[in-house]
Amino acid sequence: MSFWEYANPRRFMAFTDRVMGPAFVLAAVALSVGLVWGFFFTPNDFRQGSTVKIIYLHVPSAFMAINIWVMMLVTSLVWLIRRHHVSALAAKAAAPVGVTMTLIALMTGAIWGQPMWGTFWAWDPRLTSFLILFLFYLGYMALWSAIEDPDTAADLTSVLCLVGSVFAFLSRYAVNFWNQGLHQGASLSMDAEENISDVFWFPLLVCLAGFFFLFLALVLMRTRTEIRKRRAHAITLRERAA
Amino acid sequence: MKGLLIRDLRLAIRAGGGFGLALAFFLIVVILVPFGVGPSQGVLAPIAPGVLWLGALLACLLSLDRIFATDFEDGSLEFLATAPVPLEGVVAVKALAHWVTTGLPLTLAAPLFGVFLNLPAGGFGWLVASLALGTPALSMIGAFGAALTVGLKRGGLLLSLLVLPLYIPTLIFGADTVRRGVDGLDAGTPLILMTGITFGTVALLPFAGAAALRVNLR
Amino acid sequence: MPDLGTYAVEVSLAYGVSLLLLVAIVALSVAQARRTKRLLDEAEARWKK
Amino acid sequence: MMEVLLRVADLVCARGGLTVLEGVSFEVSSGSALVLRGPNGSGKTTLLRTLAGLQPAVAGKIFGTDDAVAYAGHADGLKGTLSVVENLTFWGGLFGFGDIAEALEAFHLNDLAARPAQSLSAGQKRRLGLARMLVTGRPIWLLDEPTVSLDAASVELFGQAVRRHLEGGGVAVIATHIDLGIDADVLDLSTFRASTPQGGVFDEAFE
């Protein structure tokens, strides 16, 4: 039973029936343990004070925001090459979750940087690239909703996702180039996790797992919803045709 | 293919709107800025490169949704699809026709508009160079966006939402080239990076655009 | 409660809004799932008749 | 035996994700025409667009249509601001087929030659749209309701043009309800209606 067997909606629904429940439970456990551990049981940073606690939200959501787009890119490729409907619907289902993660990353990043920059938004290159990613998510979701025929929508959004990924990547480095001119990089750069001592590191890993399982559970549920929508759509088509 | 270009240019001239529209819009945007930010040279000069580039970018965006829409509505696109001409070529020629009717006039008129914004002397040469090498990318990306949204209701609005984020790298490097030119710094690096993006889009996007057209013609 | 010091407002704001967004996306997904399932069951019932 | 220019083997066509025609098979040899009949929505346009390559077939094979097809849909593909001659010259040039005199003559468009297309009547525009077929030099004509908004005289003109095309060894597949005065075998599409129109993958119930 090759992996591609799950591309058949019926098998996918049966398989995810068993997986979705545990995924939600794992997400809930990991998230609560990670956040509580990080929020209550880790010391404040001597330089940043308690704002360091924001990494437990910012780093996982930023990580997920980027990787959900990569997942959408892969599923779009799978749709274009092997024409598996479930793959295209998974991409459509993942977009709102990706947009939420990007919003969380933006919001927590702005709050985290505020004490250091003096303002909530100082066009830091990393945060700005998340703002650009947010725009790409918006465009992607808008294109899905603008097209009636499901297959046409899947094809066009896949092409947009491919092209968009290249430009998102270009923007990521263009922003670095553009911001050097304004002021030297933030003293505490966003990728603070390199220089984090172990006491912060473990809760962060648990939070990361929590965010991942939450994404997994949400995208499985939303994909099932999309499959059901397509199924109902197919039935109404046949009723009209009969 | 040459015939298609000549036909599109002739249509643009006959319609009268082609050349003038984008230029008029660009002029209006540039003139409005001082009313918004105040006339003092100290304010205008530093933002002149960015405003000129933004004006050119928005002027390009304005005429994008007409690239395929008229041909789609009157059935020419279907006939083109069955003609012995590659659809990728059609997308490239349409982008070229759009560039000739909008990108090129904007590039030539930009220095004049730069005067309105007190653009320092050092910037004029770089402004024309960056626009000349950047606007083809704007037309090509725009043609791809137009191919994606041809035939959709309210396609024009969706087109700008899809295309503007794709314009960001070109805008950043283009405006930065002019800014560095004004400050006397080395403006070659951003110019080369932007030109690289332009060559990349002109080489690859016709294929994505043609794929989108085939889907929309179904 | 941990001593959040001078940035108590910021940290709690960050946590509050983030959790709000997470709850929102989960609630939205669950609501959509239920509504679609109901619509599908109705459609299937109609179709089987 | 006349050479078969167009052959279709158990073709399956879909529209908007729903299968409309299945098991369509026919052959059209050079010099003959095929008229498609069937109620509205029976898939005439879908079949023609699939033959023209504008739409991928769900299944089945089509032989003889690469670079050999000229498809005239409901729209005439004319640019209003260009004159009759300019429109025809453009399409002729694109298909690499020089002279447009024959097309102008065939549809009595000579006296309208210099007029911009937008000033023509619906019937004249339709004649110009059909004149384009002559300019493509393509052997297989696919025509979808060609005689819409044509008066009797123009229908006769169109019939002559098609007859001349067939005598020249060409082939025509025409979806129409009226008699064009050419002997053509008829294909009734209702016999190929998809029995259970499946929506494809999303068809089996899985609750």
Side-chain angles (χ1 to χ4, degrees):
Chain A
M1 184 91 131
S2 78
F3 165 74
W4 296 117
E5 285 313 308
Y6 295 120
N8 171 303
R10 173 192 291 274
R11 247 176 239 98
F12 178 84
M13 293 298 274
F15 169 72
T16 48
D17 236 351
R18 297 197 308 279
V19 168
M20 204 170 61
F24 266 111
V25 167
L26 267 174
V29 165
L31 263 181
S32 34
V33 165
L35 288 178
V36 164
W37 182 354
F39 190 81
F40 292 99
F41 302 110
T42 55
N44 292 345
D45 181 72
F46 65 91
R47 257 183 312 127
Q48 301 169 47
S50 59
T51 56
V52 75
K53 292 183 187 304
I54 296 181
I55 57 169
Y56 300 115
L57 289 168
H58 179 71
V59 172
S61 58
F63 178 80
M64 287 315 294
I66 294 174
N67 286 295
I68 290 175
W69 182 271
V70 171
M71 168 257 180
M72 282 158 58
L73 177 62
V74 170
T75 45
S76 297
L77 277 171
V78 165
W79 161 254
L80 285 176
I81 296 164
R82 298 190 67 119
R83 307 302 280 181
H84 286 309
H85 294 273
V86 171
S87 176
L89 294 178
K92 177 178 181 185
V97 183
V99 123
T100 314
M101 294 295 179
T102 317
L103 272 177
I104 295 175
L106 277 171
M107 191 270 304
T108 49
I111 291 178
W112 187 10
Q114 194 269 343
M116 197 172 27
W117 296 326
T119 67
F120 273 105
W121 189 261
W123 292 100
D124 167 76
R126 280 181 59 99
L127 267 187
T128 312
S129 47
F130 279 105
L131 190 60
I132 296 172
L133 185 61
F134 178 71
L135 295 180
F136 279 101
Y137 272 116
L138 279 193
Y140 180 82
M141 285 159 53
L143 188 57
W144 262 107
S145 57
I147 302 165
E148 291 85 23
D149 176 53
D151 280 349
T152 317
D155 283 325
L156 293 179
T157 46
S158 302
V159 171
L160 176 68
C161 190
L162 294 187
V163 173
S165 306
V166 172
F167 281 92
F169 190 76
L170 283 177
S171 305
R172 173 72 187 80
Y173 292 99
V175 163
N176 263 343
F177 187 93
W178 153 80
N179 193 311
Q180 251 46 48
L182 281 182
H183 57 75
Q184 43 83 20
S187 56
L188 172 93
S189 81
M190 279 301 129
D191 35 32
E193 66 270 19
E194 270 95 29
N195 42 44
I196 285 187
S197 60
D198 286 356
V199 74
F200 296 108
W201 186 243
F202 292 117
L204 185 58
L205 278 186
V206 176
C207 285
L208 213 54
F211 270 78
F212 173 73
F213 283 118
L214 179 65
F215 157 66
L216 189 66
L218 278 176
V219 87
L220 289 183
M221 182 201 309
R222 293 183 67 83
T223 307
R224 288 161 61 88
T225 309
E226 292 298 334
I227 290 176
R228 287 201 177 105
K229 230 186 267 180
R230 278 292 293 275
R231 172 89 184 100
H233 179 65
I235 289 177
T236 44
L237 278 181
R238 282 169 58 179
E239 274 164 355
R240 246 181 267 143
Chain B
M1 299 308 290
K2 199 161 47 59
L4 183 60
L5 179 63
I6 294 166
R7 182 197 75 157
D8 276 2
L9 293 181
R10 188 178 290 158
L11 282 174
I13 296 165
R14 289 262 173 88
F19 289 85
L21 204 65
L23 271 180
F25 178 84
F26 186 27
L27 178 64
I28 293 167
V29 166
V30 164
I31 290 175
L32 283 182
V33 164
F35 296 134
V37 300
S40 83
Q41 188 175 359
V43 168
L44 284 179
I47 62 168
V51 168
L52 287 165
W53 251 93
L54 264 176
L57 184 142
L58 292 175
C60 275
L61 188 67
L62 195 69
S63 50
L64 284 184
D65 59 354
R66 295 319 305 158
I67 289 182
F68 291 112
T70 40
D71 284 343
F72 183 80
E73 283 141 18
D74 67 25
S76 308
L77 210 53
E78 271 175 0
F79 216 65
L80 274 173
T82 55
V85 183
L87 219 47
E88 289 76 6
V90 170
V91 173
V93 164
K94 286 283 180 182
L96 179 59
H98 176 267
W99 182 71
V100 170
T101 51
T102 47
L104 190 55
L106 293 181
T107 310
L108 301 177
L112 169 68
F113 297 159
V115 171
F116 281 114
L117 296 175
N118 313 108
L119 179 71
F124 283 88
W126 291 107
L127 176 69
V128 174
S130 61
L131 280 175
L133 292 167
T135 44
L138 300 183
S139 292
M140 194 65 239
I141 298 169
F144 164 69
L148 264 180
T149 57
V150 71
L152 297 185
K153 49 179 174 23
R154 286 197 339 281
L157 193 64
L158 181 68
L159 175 59
S160 8
L161 180 64
L162 298 183
V163 161
L164 281 177
L166 304 179
Y167 277 173
I168 290 173
T170 305
L171 173 63
I172 288 178
F173 289 126
D176 209 49
T177 308
V178 187
R179 240 195 321 277
R180 286 173 178 239
V182 165
D183 301 342
L185 299 170
D186 155 35
T189 326
L191 188 66
I192 293 164
L193 289 171
M194 182 190 69
T195 314
I197 293 176
T198 303
F199 286 156
T201 56
V202 169
L204 296 175
L205 280 184
F207 298 94
L213 274 188
R214 279 191 198 90
V215 169
N216 273 320
L217 278 172
R218 269 207 309 252
Chain C
M1 260 305 280
D3 149 35
L4 295 176
T6 54
Y7 300 117
V9 170
E10 280 84 359
V11 173
S12 30
L13 191 66
Y15 272 75
V17 175
S18 302
L19 295 179
L20 199 70
L21 284 171
L22 288 178
V23 165
I25 186 73
V26 171
L28 181 74
S29 304
V30 168
Q32 272 175 352
R34 284 221 182 86
R35 187 161 40 83
T36 314
K37 187 170 187 332
R38 187 168 42 77
L39 285 175
L40 179 60
D41 293 344
E42 281 161 20
E44 296 227 315
R46 263 201 324 271
W47 181 245
K48 288 230 170 14
K49 230 183 357 330
Chain D
M1 218 292 273
M2 244 114 42
E3 184 223 333
V4 170
L5 280 188
L6 172 64
R7 196 162 69 79
V8 170
D10 46 58
L11 190 68
V12 176
C13 312
R15 182 180 56 223
L18 247 182
T19 317
V20 176
L21 292 168
E22 60 186 11
V24 180
S25 301
F26 60 84
E27 279 179 1
V28 189
S29 41
S30 97
S32 57
L34 178 70
V35 170
L36 304 179
R37 285 252 157 64
N40 281 342
S42 58
K44 296 194 290 294
T45 301
T46 312
L47 176 60
L48 284 172
R49 286 177 67 88
T50 310
L51 290 176
L54 292 173
Q55 210 174 302
V58 176
K61 288 272 178 303
I62 304 173
F63 302 97
T65 52
D66 333 337
D67 279 342
V69 153
Y71 167 77
H74 300 300
D76 296 327
L78 303 175
K79 288 298 173 187
T81 51
L82 295 182
S83 76
V84 169
V85 169
E86 281 165 341
N87 268 300
L88 283 181
T89 326
F90 165 67
W91 288 113
L94 206 65
F95 280 81
F97 193 82
D99 71 352
I100 58 167
E102 189 214 342
L104 284 173
E105 186 45 43
F107 282 90
H108 295 329
L109 292 168
N110 281 324
D111 43 21
L112 303 169
R115 295 240 320 261
Q118 60 200 5
S119 67
L120 300 179
S121 73
Q124 288 164 337
K125 279 193 185 131
R126 193 63 193 160
R127 280 179 15 218
L128 180 53
L130 294 172
R132 276 182 319 165
M133 309 296 281
L134 288 166
V135 168
T136 60
R138 286 284 177 90
I140 299 176
W141 284 7
L142 302 174
L143 302 155
D144 196 351
E145 306 289 351
T147 53
V148 157
S149 75
L150 280 186
D151 56 24
S154 307
V155 169
E156 181 41 37
L157 268 181
F158 172 67
Q160 280 164 15
V162 174
R163 257 194 302 280
R164 222 172 298 115
H165 174 68
L166 297 182
E167 280 143 21
V171 148
V173 180
I174 309 168
T176 180
H177 293 289
I178 59 164
D179 168 24
L180 287 170
I182 43 176
D183 50 11
D185 20 11
V186 176
L187 186 70
D188 187 347
L189 288 188
S190 35
T191 56
F192 301 105
R193 237 161 90 76
S195 43
T196 59
Q198 311 92 8
V201 175
F202 289 91
D203 247 325
E204 332 89 2
F206 39 71
E207 279 329 304

